[in-house]
Amino acid sequence: MTARFALPAVALAVLALGACQQQSTSPEAPAAAAKAEATAAVTPTSAAMPMAGQAAPAFTLVDAQGVQRSLADFRGKTVVLEWTNEGCPYVKKHYSGAMQALQRAAVADGVVWLSIISSAPGTQGHVEGEAARQWRDRTKGAATHLLLDPTGQVGKLYGAKTTPDMRVINPEGQLVYVGGIDDRPTSKVEDLEGANNYVQAALADMKAGRAVRTAFAPSYGCSVKYPETVGT
C-alpha cells in the first residue's frame, strides 16, 4: 500500500529575481541580494496539495489543438503531469534536451505525459492557440498533450507552485509521486549530469512492480504565474 505523506504548513522565504522566483534554496542566489524582493511563500498543506497515496483530482483542460482532455480519459494508464513555462530558466535547463528525452522514453513505455501551462494572460509563459502549437514545436516537446490552464484552476487544484513541478499518477488514479523533478535545485544545465531524477525513478519503480521509493521531494524553479501575479 502506498504510504501517505503530510507536508508541514510552514512559511518559507524565497528570493524573486526578475520574473523568476525560486521555491527552494539554491546555490545560485544572486550576489546583489539587496536588490531582490523577499516574498513569503506558504508551503501548501495536504488539503491544498494532494499527496502520494491520495486520489488525483479530476480535471478537464483544452489542449494546444483546441481539444478538451480530461484526466478520466486516461484511467488505467500511468500519467505524468508537468507544470512548465518556457521563459523560466529552470525549465530551459531541463528543456535543453533532458526533459524531451524523458518524455519520449515515458511515452514509448505507454505513459501519458501531460505538460500543463498555468501562466495567466499577461504573464511569462502564457500561450494559446497557434502560439501554443509553436511552443511545442520550438521546444521539440514529446509530451502526449500540451494542456492550457490560463485560469490556474488545475494548477491550484494540484498545489503546483513552481515550474517545473511534477506529479505521477498510477493506473488506479492515485498520486504516487509529488514534487520536484530532481535533487539539483539550480538552473545550470551542467547540473543535469548525476542528478537523481525523481520522476524517472518513480516510473522505473512502477515498471518493475515496486512501490515508489521516493514519493515526495520539494519542488524548485520559477513561481507559477497565476492570475493574481499579473502586474506584480
Side-chain angles (χ1 to χ4, degrees), residues 14-92:
V14 295
L15 294 177
L17 178 59
C20 181
Q21 277 186 301
Q22 189 178 346
Q23 182 76 7
S24 301
T25 302
S26 164
E28 294 182 27
K35 295 184 179 180
E37 291 184 23
T39 304
V42 178
T43 302
T45 64
S46 58
M49 177 192 281
M51 298 301 291
Q54 297 180 339
F59 66 84
T60 298
L61 289 174
V62 173
D63 70 12
Q65 283 69 42
V67 178
Q68 283 194 336
R69 307 287 180 183
S70 297
L71 182 62
D73 296 339
F74 310 113
R75 186 79 176 189
K77 294 181 178 292
T78 298
V79 178
V80 173
L81 307 181
E82 169 215 349
W83 270 267
T84 190
N85 165 4
E86 186 185 20
C88 172
Y90 297 87
V91 171
K92 290 179 179 179

Side-chain angles (χ1 to χ4, degrees), residues 26-171:
S26 164
E28 294 182 27
K35 295 184 179 180
E37 291 184 23
T39 304
V42 178
T43 302
T45 64
S46 58
M49 177 192 281
M51 298 301 291
Q54 297 180 339
F59 66 84
T60 298
L61 289 174
V62 173
D63 70 12
Q65 283 69 42
V67 178
Q68 283 194 336
R69 307 287 180 183
S70 297
L71 182 62
D73 296 339
F74 310 113
R75 186 79 176 189
K77 294 181 178 292
T78 298
V79 178
V80 173
L81 307 181
E82 169 215 349
W83 270 267
T84 190
N85 165 4
E86 186 185 20
C88 172
Y90 297 87
V91 171
K92 290 179 179 179
K93 163 191 172 181
H94 289 282
Y95 271 84
S96 63
M99 186 72 82
Q100 299 94 320
L102 183 56
Q103 291 169 344
R104 285 192 296 270
V107 171
D109 275 343
V111 173
V112 174
W113 190 294
L114 305 177
S115 296
I116 302 175
I117 298 176
S118 292
S119 295
T123 67
Q124 182 191 66
H126 173 75
V127 289
E128 57 186 334
E130 180 60 27
R133 293 188 287 275
Q134 290 175 358
W135 185 97
R136 181 182 177 120
D137 292 343
R138 187 165 58 251
T139 61
K140 295 181 172 59
T144 310
H145 301 291
L146 173 62
L147 304 183
L148 309 179
D149 179 34
T151 68
Q153 181 178 357
V154 174
K156 292 176 181 178
L157 187 65
Y158 277 82
K161 292 291 182 182
T162 66
T163 50
D165 206 347
M166 312 297 296
R167 308 289 184 269
V168 179
I169 304 168
N170 70 14

Side-chain angles (χ1 to χ4, degrees), residues 181-205:
I181 188 167
D182 65 19
D183 60 353
R184 299 286 180 86
T186 80
S187 60
K188 297 178 179 179
V189 174
E190 56 266 33
D191 285 338
L192 289 168
E193 185 175 356
N196 180 16
N197 190 296
Y198 297 119
V199 174
Q200 186 176 40
L203 294 176
D205 284 340

